[in-house]
Amino acid sequence: MMHRYADYRTNKVFDTDILIIGTGAGGSVVGAELAEAGFDVTFVEEGSYVPTSSFSPYSSSSVSRLYRDGGATVILGRPPIPYMEGRAVGGSTVINGGMCYRAPEDILGDWQKLTGSRDLGPEAMESLFERVEKTVHAKRHHVAAVGNDSRLMAAGARHMGWKVEINSRNQESCVGANNCVLGCPTGAKQSTLVTYMPRAMQAGARLLTEVRIHRLRIQNGRCVGAVGRAVHPETRKADTRVEIRARAVVVACGGVQTPNLLLRHRVGRPSGQLGRNFLCHPNAKVLAVYPHEVNAWQGVNQWCQIREFHNEGILFAENFVPPSALAASIPYHGQKAWELMQRYNNMVMSGVLVEDSQPGRIHRGLFGTAMPVYNITDYDHQRFLKGIRLLATMHFEMGAEQVILPFLNQPVARSIDDLKDIERLQTKAETLELFTVHLMGTARMGSRPEESVVDLGGQLWDLPGAYVADASLFPTAIGVNPQITIMALATRIAGRLIDNRGRVLRAA
Amino acid sequence: MTQILGTVTPYAVPEDGETTLTDTAERATVRAVQWANFGKGVPTLERLTDDGFKPALPLAMSRSRRASLRALIQLICPSEVTMPDMEERMELQVRRSMAYMPWIAAFGLSFCFALLDWSPRFLFRSTRRLRRMDRERAEHLISELSESSITLIRTVMYATKGIIMNAYFDQEEVHRALNYAPIPFMRERISLRQRLLAGHAARATDEIPSYPLPHEEENGRVSTAAFVAANAGGEV
């Protein structure tokens, strides 16, 4: 059964075994596994149900429907970093690039050491990764889907002698429509909207859309549900009160919203780590303009990644976006913007991703809004400068006429010689323009309450009945796209709940 | 008959199923059929699909605030492409986008529009507001503010410019002027995928036309085309 705003006029109170808050890479996986195991599952999703048949290439209508706060979300700090999160059934999996990378073995080895448990080690995670990859059809693309920006990046890397890794993506017969960030119109991207959510619904799960959860219900020190308000689709006001009573609650709202919800209840006290360890894999964009057409809007969103500098925590990749999103990020307006945008078909949008060296923190701000704070370190800044210089050099080597740089005081380079000024001019992090989509680490998993927020089963140390199942769980940054790792951990948490079925259902 | 789908039939979800069944296995089968197409479907690729979704009402603004916004639209949007009622369309789109922001962010952004409109006076550049300054000087001031060394001012400009440019470059007229035609391309790709799912093999003509790349013959390397072919997934 699925509900939306109009339904809450009559139905305001729901009873269920397991309440799942969020339908993204974490929530949908836990929900589908539990529903298929016979639990009575209810999902709550703040966004709307937007099926594949409603996707389009128009960003103004799509962003409103699919992105949190219409895409106007920012991390405060030095420099401020805009970030994107999905807010629709399927969460961020509906709007992500669909890259399927497992957390690297050395990272899992670190997790094993940090937690003192083999449960998060490479061997224990192997079967979980396999299970998830099979469900979302993680594989390489057929040649018919590969576009010219991908070919150019691969050719550039090979010319420079750099290592190229071909992406595995969650796709079934992807034909390179390249609308991943606004919802895949061919249905090829295997987001949770078309994989785990149908499974959960078929197994009898209930889905409450357009409800924003404001607080958890806590009775006798145990989490027994949540209370929220339905959001009016036209006025955007959260008005009708909706209450869900449950025996256990899984919070899967992502690396920013999960700690924000939990912080309201002052949980995570033993370690004081809730909201801390905020990691976000910041990105800088490098936009190259070529003398010939590339038509990068045709072909798969990101076919490969350049991993030559992965040991230093630096990744390069292409990631093309519609003209509206691109125009919003260029350093010009008016006539100058038009002159550049006229060459849209000649552009290749690429990015430098840097693995975090220092975490930030999520605060609960005014009126209950999440306030992420994150500063990049001098070390991160230096790695960005190196990455941007190298990637821009590659574009010039491949014949680019100009490269738009992510520096406020040095927005364009017209030759390799211009890149020599980067080290001289870029002395402050404030002049760097970044963005991010990977948000994680704010309710870290561990085996000791004094240093983690949740136990290895995902349950909060100081709030029985409340579980976390999203990227907040990560004990450290993983340096790769996180969706597969989130899904694998969510599968693990679902497995623990199924194993403890009797205890979970008897509780409350 | 009890309704399965709640009091309002949700969009793009099959009709109600028979729920008087008592057998659990039969119930599961009915549910499986009923929800098999959840999340799926072939899009019309229209800006607003007739799927029952109601877009938010544009954020309420005073007449003066709207005039400030229109002044900024005039200054920030390129003037090359002529569109009927451009300012009105942009204004509505910007206000509608703002309705999806948290009220504190929307209020802040709306306040920024007014602040920018008054900025020539605050900065002692003119006795007039931005909306009444001559275009060249006003554009110059906007550029200066965009490159300000003060993070807060830069962030204000980034948000204002971002939301207006996003609205402008999302118009069909602008897409045509840029030779950006996603709809026919996506239609062709949707039908290609349907063909592939029906069991037909991909043809060479289904590949996206490629352009010559430099440095192809260096060091006896295989060409990029051969590299791509060698690294592509076998099955479609």
Side-chain angles (χ1 to χ4, degrees):
Chain A
M1 190 184 290
M2 185 167 80
H3 297 261
R4 56 176 173 160
Y5 179 78
D7 297 318
Y8 306 118
R9 276 191 294 242
T10 47
N11 289 331
K12 294 178 181 174
V13 181
F14 299 87
D15 284 290
T16 188
D17 287 345
I18 311 283
L19 165 64
I20 315 246
I21 309 173
T23 57
S28 63
V29 174
V30 178
E33 296 282 353
L34 293 182
E36 287 177 348
F39 283 85
D40 177 16
V41 170
T42 298
F43 291 98
V44 175
E45 169 56 53
E46 187 181 345
S48 304
Y49 168 65
V50 189
T52 302
S53 53
S54 296
F55 292 150
S56 82
Y58 298 107
S59 67
S60 49
S61 49
S62 306
V63 168
S64 309
R65 296 182 77 168
L66 300 173
Y67 283 70
R68 170 167 300 284
D69 301 343
T73 37
V74 68
I75 298 167
L76 306 176
R78 191 189 71 114
I81 307 175
Y83 71 94
M84 304 289 163
E85 286 191 301
R87 183 171 65 186
V89 175
S92 294
T93 66
V94 176
I95 52 147
N96 69 8
M99 263 53 75
C100 291
Y101 279 99
R102 297 177 177 191
E105 287 208 356
D106 57 327
I107 298 286
L108 294 176
D110 288 347
W111 288 8
Q112 186 171 322
K113 274 186 219 154
L114 276 170
T115 60
S117 164
R118 284 168 180 263
D119 289 1
L120 297 184
E123 282 172 29
M125 293 292 285
E126 174 72 23
S127 60
L128 298 172
F129 283 131
E130 277 176 13
R131 184 182 173 95
V132 164
E133 286 165 350
K134 194 175 167 196
T135 306
V136 299
H137 301 93
K139 59 176 185 270
R140 289 181 175 186
H141 284 84
H142 185 269
V143 70
V146 183
N148 288 301
D149 57 337
S150 299
R151 288 172 191 270
L152 215 148
M153 287 291 282
R158 293 168 73 233
H159 169 65
M160 303 292 282
W162 296 342
K163 184 183 163 197
V164 180
E165 185 139 335
I166 312 303
N167 291 333
S168 173
R169 294 178 72 239
N170 50 326
Q171 50 90 17
E172 195 179 18
S173 301
C174 172
V175 282
N178 204 349
N179 202 52
C180 300
V181 295
L182 300 179
C184 177
T186 66
K189 184 169 80 175
Q190 299 294 286
S191 67
T192 60
L193 172 69
V194 295
T195 52
Y196 282 99
M197 286 308 293
R199 268 175 57 182
M201 301 307 284
Q202 284 177 333
R206 186 191 289 125
L207 171 59
L208 313 182
T209 64
E210 298 166 359
V211 174
R212 186 183 299 157
I213 294 295
H214 290 289
R215 63 181 173 84
L216 302 175
R217 287 179 77 238
I218 299 172
Q219 276 176 9
N220 303 322
R222 189 177 174 84
C223 185
V224 289
V227 178
R229 288 191 181 273
V231 183
H232 192 290
E234 287 178 307
T235 64
R236 302 300 302 161
K237 289 207 165 62
D239 46 22
T240 315
R241 187 178 186 274
V242 178
E243 182 175 349
I244 307 103
R245 301 177 192 138
R247 290 165 198 273
V249 177
V250 179
V251 184
C253 317
V256 172
Q257 297 302 324
T258 287
N260 189 43
L261 175 62
L262 296 175
L263 279 167
R264 179 184 172 130
H265 299 282
R266 299 173 193 275
V267 288
R269 277 182 181 170
S271 65
Q273 294 295 313
L274 180 63
R276 293 177 187 267
N277 310 304
F278 172 54
L279 307 161
C280 67
H281 288 169
N283 285 260
K285 62 182 186 310
V286 175
L287 178 67
V289 185
Y290 281 83
H292 54 83
E293 282 196 348
V294 182
N295 289 328
W297 48 276
Q298 300 181 351
V300 60
N301 170 276
Q302 191 185 108
W303 184 65
C304 62
Q305 293 183 350
I306 299 172
R307 296 191 152 225
E308 180 67 19
F309 309 98
H310 198 212
N311 287 344
E312 298 170 59
I314 303 173
L315 269 180
F316 303 148
E318 83 277 14
N319 195 340
F320 212 59
V321 291
S324 48
L326 199 145
S329 68
I330 60 172
Y332 307 123
H333 62 270
Q335 175 67 23
K336 248 179 145 180
W338 181 253
E339 281 168 17
L340 180 65
M341 286 303 294
Q342 269 189 310
R343 311 197 62 196
Y344 178 72
N345 286 340
N346 296 26
M347 292 176 180
V348 172
M349 173 77 104
S350 53
V352 177
L353 180 151
V354 164
E355 204 174 313
D356 314 63
S357 65
Q358 179 181 288
R361 188 173 175 182
I362 308 295
H363 297 272
R364 195 170 162 86
L366 277 175
F367 310 107
T369 50
M371 201 170 75
V373 177
Y374 182 93
N375 295 305
I376 65 163
T377 60
D378 289 342
Y379 173 55
D380 297 336
H381 188 222
Q382 288 309 313
R383 285 187 297 163
F384 269 116
L385 299 188
K386 178 181 178 178
I388 292 162
R389 187 170 39 76
L390 286 168
L391 189 53
T393 303
M394 186 202 84
H395 282 302
F396 281 122
E397 287 279 338
M398 294 305 288
E401 286 179 340
Q402 58 174 315
V403 175
I404 306 298
L405 301 170
F407 302 126
L408 187 76
N409 55 347
Q410 191 187 1
V412 62
R414 298 190 191 281
S415 69
I416 289 186
D417 287 342
D418 288 354
L419 302 176
K420 288 177 187 154
D421 293 334
I422 287 181
E423 263 76 15
R424 185 175 58 81
L425 292 172
Q426 304 310 320
T427 53
K428 290 181 181 169
E430 283 84 346
T431 55
L432 187 58
E433 291 179 339
L434 303 175
F435 72 98
T436 188
V437 287
H438 300 164
L439 312 159
M440 55 202 152
T442 45
R444 56 158 56 163
M445 201 175 213
S447 48
R448 283 185 293 273
E450 58 273 18
E451 57 191 33
S452 55
V453 178
V454 301
D455 64 21
L456 292 171
Q459 186 169 217
L460 267 85
W461 287 110
D462 54 350
L463 185 59
Y467 296 77
V468 173
D470 57 32
S472 313
L473 295 171
F474 293 1
T476 65
I478 60 171
V480 293
N481 311 65
Q483 75 166 342
I484 288 293
T485 311
I486 299 170
M487 289 174 171
L489 288 178
T491 308
R492 190 171 179 285
I493 288 164
R496 286 285 183 100
L497 282 164
I498 293 166
D499 291 345
N500 296 322
R501 178 194 298 260
R503 213 166 56 208
V504 172
L505 295 183
R506 267 199 312 276
Chain B
M1 192 199 309
T2 322
Q3 280 198 317
I4 280 186
L5 299 176
T7 50
V8 175
T9 305
Y11 25 97
V13 169
E15 290 299 306
D16 296 354
E18 178 59 65
T19 58
T20 52
L21 298 171
T22 49
D23 180 72
T24 315
E26 277 186 80
R27 268 175 178 272
T29 311
V30 168
R31 263 204 315 255
V33 173
Q34 189 180 19
W35 294 100
N37 289 320
F38 182 85
K40 302 183 176 91
V42 178
T44 58
L45 301 176
E46 283 161 13
R47 188 180 287 273
L48 271 180
T49 312
D50 182 21
D51 61 1
F53 175 78
K54 289 179 185 168
L57 299 169
L59 188 82
M61 272 186 198
S62 67
R63 192 183 293 179
S64 168
R65 200 58 62 88
R66 284 166 58 193
S68 301
L69 171 57
R70 285 194 178 209
L72 288 163
I73 288 170
Q74 271 191 349
L75 289 171
I76 289 172
C77 291
S79 50
E80 272 66 16
V81 179
T82 49
M83 286 181 254
D85 315 322
M86 178 186 119
E87 278 173 38
E88 197 181 332
R89 268 159 75 181
M90 298 293 107
E91 184 207 309
L92 270 178
Q93 203 155 310
V94 168
R95 287 171 54 208
R96 205 183 290 281
S97 303
M98 288 171 73
Y100 287 92
M101 296 177 186
W103 73 266
I104 196 163
F107 174 80
L109 189 57
S110 165
F111 182 68
C112 291
F113 297 157
L115 210 61
L116 289 169
D117 195 17
W118 285 94
S119 61
R121 287 191 183 181
F122 296 149
L123 300 169
F124 305 109
R125 297 294 175 86
S126 170
T127 52
R128 295 176 170 192
R129 285 202 257 173
L130 202 65
R131 69 175 85 156
R132 301 207 196 288
M133 275 175 86
D134 77 85
R135 190 179 170 106
E136 202 175 322
R137 285 181 64 204
E139 271 188 8
H140 185 71
L141 181 60
I142 290 287
S143 301
E144 265 184 50
L145 292 172
S146 306
E147 291 161 16
S148 167
S149 57
I150 301 166
T151 310
L152 184 66
I153 296 178
R154 227 169 46 233
T155 309
V156 164
M157 274 313 302
Y158 180 88
T160 307
K161 221 171 68 176
I163 197 166
I164 292 173
M165 292 279 271
N166 191 303
Y168 179 82
F169 280 95
D170 196 42
Q171 305 302 316
E172 282 89 344
E173 292 90 337
V174 177
H175 289 180
R176 274 198 293 277
L178 296 177
N179 286 325
Y180 169 64
I183 304 290
F185 173 69
M186 284 182 190
R187 289 226 167 93
E188 180 261 311
R189 291 280 125 179
I190 289 168
S191 79
L192 167 61
R193 183 166 186 263
Q194 285 170 341
R195 202 150 43 79
L196 298 175
L197 290 176
H200 299 281
R203 300 183 293 246
T205 50
D206 293 328
E207 288 184 27
I208 291 158
S210 56
Y211 301 92
L213 293 162
H215 312 297
E216 286 293 85
E217 309 301 326
E218 278 174 14
N219 307 325
R221 256 198 332 245
V222 295
S223 70
T224 302
F227 175 79
V228 170
N231 285 286
E235 51 179 320
V236 181

